Amino acid sequence: RKRKVNPKTYTNDLSRMKKHIISRFGNIPIKNITPPMCQDLIDGIVATGKGKTAEEVFSLLNGTFKTAIKHNLIVHNPLDIVIHDKHEREHGKALTIEEEKHLLQTAAEPFKTIFAIMLFTGIRPNEYETVQIIGDMIHANNSKRHGGKREIKRIPITPMLKRYLSSDSEVPKMPIYTIRRVFNSILGNKHVLYDMRTTFYTRCKMCEVAAAARDEFVGHSSGVLGNTYTDLPDDYLIKEGQKLDY
């Protein structure tokens, strides 16, 4: 697992493994773990209202059992007959134009610039620490690439972002929990930090940014063929980024 995911994902997975799986099954030989035991574990997590955690624990267990089968430690996967409803993921709720203005007008520096970067680049909160200004572009690590592969996202400094940032600016650095605290103090419980990514994607659609450029900005995969044969130049991305002006 450690060789297939980025370090932060591995750390989170290890924490879930220890908290939910090893604490329950750590002293039981894997061949003695039964479907009812697994069903009880998953049902218990779901009962606490943590559907996403239940799905993640199910996935970790499934990977463990499949590996055990390949190593001839067990014959059958206990999860094959465990009933598990997939958690419906929420992809965020875009800020309204009024909420966006309120956030940027209320925030003091350096948070005003930080929020502007997040609003007008669509980076994920855990990617902010990797943000760099390279010429007229913002570069950041794409945290959703697997197998240890490093991929850089490129987002132009759009007209909206130019109001707060230039190619000569410094990117303010701040712990993500501090950024989240200030964000919540301004918008309350109406939104979460990730909603700024949803906002950016929504605004790109509103401003008719080409789908290929939009996906490049946010780091969406185009599939194996698309990723292999598509290499959009900076000048094209900058041209499309000019549309983001509202």
Side-chain angles (χ1 to χ4, degrees):
R1 183 74 176 161
K2 188 173 186 178
R3 297 172 67 173
K4 293 172 65 178
V5 298
N6 68 51
K8 182 164 283 189
T9 299
Y10 175 74
T11 299
N12 292 337
D13 283 347
L14 187 60
S15 176
R16 293 185 195 101
M17 194 82 178
K18 289 178 178 178
K19 182 177 181 180
H20 298 286
I21 298 174
I22 295 177
S23 64
R24 180 71 68 93
F25 299 141
N27 294 320
I28 303 173
I30 197 165
K31 65 182 180 180
N32 293 342
I33 298 174
T34 65
M37 291 178 181
C38 298
Q39 186 75 69
D40 185 59
L41 171 61
I42 298 300
D43 287 349
I45 298 172
V46 171
T48 65
K50 298 179 179 178
K52 184 172 183 292
T53 300
E55 184 174 316
E56 290 162 341
V57 170
F58 186 96
S59 177
L60 288 170
L61 270 176
N62 198 36
T64 302
F65 289 135
K66 284 183 176 181
T67 302
I69 290 171
K70 290 178 181 178
H71 283 280
N72 297 315
L73 298 176
I74 57 177
V75 177
H76 302 292
N77 185 341
L79 293 185
D80 285 346
I81 56 173
V82 167
I83 298 172
H84 168 56
D85 293 327
K86 280 214 164 195
H87 173 67
E88 191 170 321
R89 297 178 183 272
E90 296 181 5
H91 293 285
K93 178 183 176 184
L95 278 66
T96 64
I97 297 290
E98 291 72 25
E99 287 172 331
E100 183 181 302
K101 287 180 179 178
H102 175 65
L103 176 66
L104 294 172
Q105 289 171 358
T106 305
E109 292 293 0
F111 298 100
K112 185 190 296 289
T113 299
I114 291 172
F115 293 147
I117 292 172
M118 298 183 82
L119 271 168
F120 303 128
T121 63
I123 61 167
R124 300 176 180 90
N126 67 332
E127 295 168 347
Y128 180 78
E129 64 183 3
T130 69
V131 167
Q132 298 181 66
I133 300 174
I134 310 291
D136 293 324
M137 305 285 285
I138 296 289
H139 285 202
N141 288 352
N142 187 350
S143 64
K144 286 295 184 180
R145 284 295 171 263
H146 302 301
K149 180 181 178 182
R150 184 169 181 264
E151 179 182 292
I152 300 298
K153 298 195 293 189
R154 297 169 294 145
I155 311 103
I157 299 177
T158 65
M160 299 301 294
L161 187 52
K162 280 181 181 176
R163 301 174 188 176
Y164 306 90
L165 199 68
S166 70
S167 57
D168 298 324
S169 300
E170 292 286 332
V171 176
K173 297 299 182 183
M174 193 70 65
I176 199 66
Y177 62 83
T178 304
I179 298 173
R180 181 175 288 106
R181 176 176 54 79
V182 175
F183 177 86
N184 291 342
S185 72
I186 297 173
L187 292 181
N189 60 0
K190 295 179 181 179
H191 292 280
V192 295
L193 210 55
Y194 194 93
D195 287 350
M196 289 196 279
R197 175 174 169 82
T198 306
T199 303
F200 174 75
Y201 198 78
T202 301
R203 301 289 187 263
C204 282
K205 283 189 170 183
M206 289 169 51
C207 295
E208 298 184 347
V209 173
R214 188 173 68 228
D215 288 346
E216 181 76 25
F217 296 163
V218 298
H220 282 175
S221 173
S222 301
V224 175
L225 281 176
N227 291 338
T228 301
Y229 292 108
T230 304
D231 188 12
L232 301 174
D234 284 358
D235 57 355
Y236 170 77
L237 298 178
I238 290 171
K239 177 174 72 70
E240 287 299 311
Q242 291 301 306
K243 296 178 182 178
L244 203 65
D245 190 3
Y246 53 89

